[in-house]
Every structure is written in C-alpha cells, then in structure tokens.
C-alpha cells in the first residue's frame, strides 16, 4: 500500500534503548516523513523519557511488546486498522524472532535490528513469517546505507575499475568497546546471546557479500579464539580483586571500569557507553550503583565471558573471487573499518569516512580521493540512511527501495553461521550451500507443517496465523 507524501509514516518502537533511539531519531530530523506514535519498553524511566521526547499519547505507551501487540490486535479487530504503519524491533537479539513473527502476523512492516536472530532455525522461521505476509522488511545492516558505502557500491556496480576480485576488511572493535559490550555487557556469553561474529559482524559479512553480488558464497573457513579476556591474563598486581573500584591495579589497567564509566560520568559524559548503565538519564550516583552491583564494574579477567576477541573469516564465491575479513578487539579505533578492494584495473582503500580510488590504466591523476558527506547519525550516517530508506520503502510499499529482501538477509546470516561452524571445527572448510540445505532439512525433519507460533507463543497470547515451513530450531 502506498501512503500519501504529505502524511508521515507512523512508527511503533519496541525497545527504547540505544538502537531504538538511533533509528527513531529520524522522526525528529524529518517530522514530515516519520512520526513515532507508540512504544514498548519495560524500564519505567527509559520508557517515560522516550515517550515524552516523542510526545506519544499515554494510551500508546506500553511496558512490554506483548501488551503493544494485544492492543494492536484489539484495534485491528474493532477499528480495522493497525496502531502504526511499521514497527522498529530493537530488543535484545534473542527476542527478535518471536517479536518479528508476532507483528508480521498482524501485517506490520518491520525494521529489525541486527542480527536477524541467534540460531539458524530462528532465521529460517523469521524468513518464512515475513515472506508469507508480503510486508516491507528492513534489516539493521546499517553499513549498506551510509553515504560512504553507497558511493563505493556505485563504483563497484559501474565496472569502471574492472572486475572485483578480492576484498580485505578489518573490523577494529575497539579495546574498551569490546570490554563494555562483549565482556561485561549483554553480548559476553554465547549461551545468553550468540557468538561475536554474529552479534558484532553480521553486517560486515552482509555488505561484503553485497559488494560481491551477484556472485554467491560457496566456501568459507574461519579461525578465532578468546585470547585475552581470561583469568590467566589477569595482571598479578590486581591480586584477588574482582571489582575495578577497589582494585590496586586499576590505574594501570586499560579496561578499568572506573576510567570507562565512572570518571566519564563525573566529567559530565552521559552518552554511550555510560548511557546504557542506568534506567533513564545516567547520574553519578546511578553509575556508581551499577558498577557496585553488576558486571559493568567487574574485572574483565574474572567474568564468565566466552565469545571470541579475535577472528578471521575467508570466503570464496562461485566466480572464484575471494573475501578476507578480520574482527579484533585490540584497537584504538572503534568500528572504523579498514577496507581494501582489489579490481582487475584498480583498487579502493577506505576507512569508513573517506576512500581513495586508483585506476591502474591512467598515467595522470591515477588516484582520486572521495569524501562522502554524512547525513548525521551513527555508523557514518548509516543509522539515518537505513531509517530514511525504510520509511520511504513503507511509504511507497516497495521492498526494492531497501535494496535487499528477507531471502538475501537470510542468505548472509547463513554465511555467518557457516563461518562459525568452520571455526568450531578447527578451521575446516564449510560448503555454504550444503550447510544451508542441512539447516533447512533439520528444520523440517519432523515432516510436519505446523503453525508458525509454537505452544509457548500461544500461551503468551500470540494469535494463530497460517502455517509455517520451519519449526525445529537448528543451532551451531
């Protein structure tokens, strides 16, 4: 359905944390194009601040996604319309599949934060639910939508440098970013979230596959480990200390929670990463309480984190082109990807903000520098670019505006899962197509076509809607 140009696309935000705010900021920048009209968030202060910022009517502010879904189902039944044109799903990773399926069943257009889901089975289940509803679906692969990446994409697609033969990309996570998110934070333990290549780097694999398209990944191998953030690496001077605020070695520790959070809030810094430590706007007292009572104040060498702090991935495509990708925690740069693209007649070298283009065939002015102008927002403008593009896709009712679809999103995630399978097998080469076939076969091995919502979902009040092609989960 196409919406009128003079009426903003209405959005319901499920999860009002850092990513929910990042995408919904587009409504402030372009109020004539998008408007947040509903939200769901369990934390009371965060919920109150978010709803106040967007002037959301109190009747459309909910403390859970289930409550928002029930209200929307009731509105559909009594009034014949949804509460919004689209939902932004920015909850914790393991919740994506359930929330997406619930709102897809009601016909909502959906923008889902990456990763798609935390198991192969959940990815396939989401693919099925979205495909059957014929809704607009956007994935939080923000790197595709930054001006930097889109300018590179134009050059790749133009063929001006010849055939793209190889890409090398490095994701420098950042030493304290990794400690914050992947040691102390929500993504530190695979059993509670997923492996780091998925939670941190699925959009790297996505854009690398996007640039190589229409070639498809056929073989993948990977090596990696949790090298540093382990008890045996703890500085001897730290002794038995388990909390940074009372550690004798804190001043000399690069990963000191006091430096990263407490000293920052005392200087008046309330943005990331401090902002995620408390419900509502952070205060000195609130951050101190969090450090005293949660893992954010704990020694990085004493926590039960188990995800890789370094990993390499190699991919061969069906046209014999190759990709090499590295994720590493130990960098000063934070997520400023280092890129080298090798063509038959030239190369591109970039750093997420600017890039140089060299044409080997020219004798003069062989190299030119390109400085794409960001439109604001995180990830070099990718956050804003994705939000803007998604809103336009919803307004026009055209999935093609996003430049991808649910099947392509699933394919890139399958490649990530295949890479992790290789790492777990000691670096053995995994055939991507066979891996996917096996995953789909496992998901259907019961031979039954069952309702897309499980018994657990029905107990939560999720409405029954159609049948599913995928029921059994597959994990790697």
């Amino acid at each position: 359905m196409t919406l009128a140009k003079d009426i903003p696309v209405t959005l319901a935000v499920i999860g009002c944390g850092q990513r929910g705010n990042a995408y919904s900021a587009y409504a402030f920048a372009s109020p004539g194009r998008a408007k947040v009209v509903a939200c769901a968030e369990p934390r009371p202060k965060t919920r109150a601040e978010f709803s106040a910022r967007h002037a959301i009517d109190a009747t459309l502010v909910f403390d859970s996604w289930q409550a928002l879904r029930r209200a929307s189902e009731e509105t559909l039944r009594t009034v014949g319309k949804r509460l919004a044109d689209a939902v932004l799903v920015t909850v914790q990773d393991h919740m994506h599949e359930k929330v997406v399926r619930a709102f897809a069943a009601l016909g909502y257009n959906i923008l889902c934060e990456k990763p798609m889901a935390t198991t192969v089975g959940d990815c396939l289940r989401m693919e099925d639910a979205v495909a059957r509803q014929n809704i607009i679906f956007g994935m939080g692969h923000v790197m595709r939508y930054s001006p930097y990446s889109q300018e590179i994409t134009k050059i790749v697609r133009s063929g001006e440098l010849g055939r793209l033969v190889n890409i090398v990309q490095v994701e420098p996570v950042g030493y304290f970013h990794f400690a914050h998110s992947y040691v102390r934070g929500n993504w530190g333990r695979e059993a509670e979230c997923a492996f780091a290549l998925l939670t941190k780097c699925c959009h790297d694999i996505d854009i690398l596959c996007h640039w190589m398209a229409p070639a498809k990944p056929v073989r993948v191998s990977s090596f990696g480990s949790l090298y540093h953030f382990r008890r045996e690496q703890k500085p001897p001077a730290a002794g038995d200390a388990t909390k940074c605020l009372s550690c004798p070695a804190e001043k000399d520790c690069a990963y000191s929670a006091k430096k990263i959070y407490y000293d920052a809030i005392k200087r008046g810094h309330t943005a990331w990463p401090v902002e995620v430590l408390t419900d509502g706007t952070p205060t000195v007292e609130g951050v101190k309480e969090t450090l005293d009572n949660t893992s954010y104040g704990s020694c990085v060498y004493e926590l039960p984190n188990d995800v890789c702090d370094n990993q390499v991935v190699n991919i061969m495509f069906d046209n014999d082109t190759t990709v090499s990708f590295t994720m590493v925690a130990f960098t000063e740069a934070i997520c400023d990807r280092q890129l080298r693209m090798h063509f038959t007649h030239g190369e591109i070298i970039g750093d997420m903000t600017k890039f140089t283009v060299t044409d080997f065939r020219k004798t003069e002015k062989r190299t030119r520098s390109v400085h794409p102008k960001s439109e604001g927002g995180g990830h070099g403008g990718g956050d804003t670019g994705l939000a803007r593009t998604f809103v336009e896709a919803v307004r026009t009712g055209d999935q093609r505006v996003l430049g991808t679809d649910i099947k392509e999103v699933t394919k890139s995630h399958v490649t990530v899962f295949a890479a992790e399978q290789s790492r777990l097998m000691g670096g053995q080469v995994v055939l991507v197509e066979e891996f996917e076939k096996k995953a789909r076969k496992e998901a259907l091995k019961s031979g039954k076509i069952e309702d897309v919502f499980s018994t657990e979902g029905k107990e939560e009040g999720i409405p029954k809607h159609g049948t599913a092609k995928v029921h059994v989960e597959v994990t790697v």
Side-chain angles (χ1 to χ4, degrees), residues 2-13:
T2 302
L3 304 176
K5 287 186 177 181
D6 58 345
I7 300 176
V9 171
T10 55
L11 306 171
V13 180

Side-chain angles (χ1 to χ4, degrees), residues 161 342-347 358-363 366:
L161 296 178
H342 307 107
F343 302 79
T344 52
H345 301 305
E347 66 180 357
T358 301
D359 189 329
F360 304 150
R361 297 164 296 186
K362 295 183 178 180
T363 55
R366 290 162 54 102

Side-chain angles (χ1 to χ4, degrees), residues 61-297:
V61 178
F62 304 92
D63 62 5
S64 70
W65 68 265
Q66 293 94 334
L68 171 58
R69 185 207 53 75
R70 287 193 294 269
S72 189
E73 185 185 17
E74 178 66 19
T75 302
L76 270 172
R77 182 165 52 244
T78 58
V79 184
K81 62 183 296 185
R82 300 174 185 85
L83 295 180
D85 298 315
V87 295
L88 309 186
V89 178
T90 50
V91 293
Q92 286 297 306
D93 301 345
H94 69 275
M95 299 169 62
H96 289 178
E97 177 259 352
K98 189 172 289 186
V99 177
V100 166
R101 288 192 302 124
F103 285 87
L106 298 182
Y108 276 93
N109 301 300
I110 297 171
L111 173 59
C112 179
E113 173 59 346
K114 63 89 179 168
M116 184 180 185
T118 56
T119 71
V120 174
D122 281 353
C123 289
L124 298 175
R125 195 177 321 214
M126 283 176 65
E127 177 191 51
D128 180 75
V130 169
R132 285 187 293 103
Q133 291 298 322
N134 195 31
I135 58 177
I136 302 298
F137 182 80
M139 190 74 241
H141 287 155
V142 292
M143 291 176 62
R144 283 193 181 216
Y145 300 94
S146 71
Y148 165 88
S149 295
Q150 294 198 327
E151 286 298 316
I152 289 175
T153 301
K154 289 178 184 177
I155 295 172
V156 172
R157 297 287 181 261
S158 73
E160 67 177 81
L161 296 178
R163 178 185 176 190
L164 179 57
V165 178
N166 169 266
I167 307 177
V168 177
Q169 180 152 299
V170 177
E171 155 65 307
V173 181
Y175 71 99
F176 76 83
H177 176 11
F178 193 92
H180 165 73
S181 296
Y182 303 94
V183 180
R184 295 182 169 117
N186 293 325
W187 298 274
R189 298 197 69 191
E190 183 174 343
E192 296 172 2
C193 53
F195 51 96
L197 187 67
L198 179 70
T199 60
K200 183 68 181 80
C201 304
C202 65
H203 53 4
D204 290 275
I205 301 301
D206 173 76
I207 197 165
L208 293 170
C209 290
H210 174 60
W211 280 329
M212 283 297 190
K216 298 178 181 179
V218 291
R219 305 175 73 189
V220 61
S221 66
S222 181
F223 301 89
S225 69
L226 173 59
Y227 179 79
H228 182 68
F229 296 100
R230 305 160 60 161
R231 181 169 293 174
E232 53 265 37
Q233 299 287 355
K234 185 177 181 179
D240 296 330
T242 60
K243 288 286 187 177
C244 291
L245 294 184
S246 59
C247 177
E250 176 273 322
K251 289 184 179 180
D252 297 318
C253 181
Y255 307 102
S256 160
K258 181 177 183 295
K259 294 175 184 175
I260 296 171
Y261 308 114
Y262 194 56
D263 291 351
I265 186 67
K266 288 172 70 175
R267 293 193 303 269
H269 178 82
T270 58
W272 183 90
V274 176
E275 65 181 346
V276 306
L277 265 61
T278 63
D279 178 17
T281 302
T283 63
V284 172
E285 295 76 14
V287 169
K288 174 66 162 54
E289 182 180 359
T290 298
L291 298 186
D292 285 339
N293 297 294
T294 75
S295 61
Y296 286 108

Side-chain angles (χ1 to χ4, degrees), residues 120 124 217-220 411 414-415 417-418 421 425 429-442 474 476:
V120 174
L124 298 175
V218 291
R219 305 175 73 189
V220 61
K411 287 285 187 184
V414 166
T415 303
F417 281 101
Q421 180 67 61
M425 295 167 58
V429 171
V430 172
L431 304 180
V432 178
E433 185 177 355
E434 288 187 10
F435 178 87
E436 181 176 356
K437 285 180 179 178
K438 182 178 180 181
R440 291 186 182 275
K441 183 178 179 180
E442 286 293 313
V474 178
V476 295

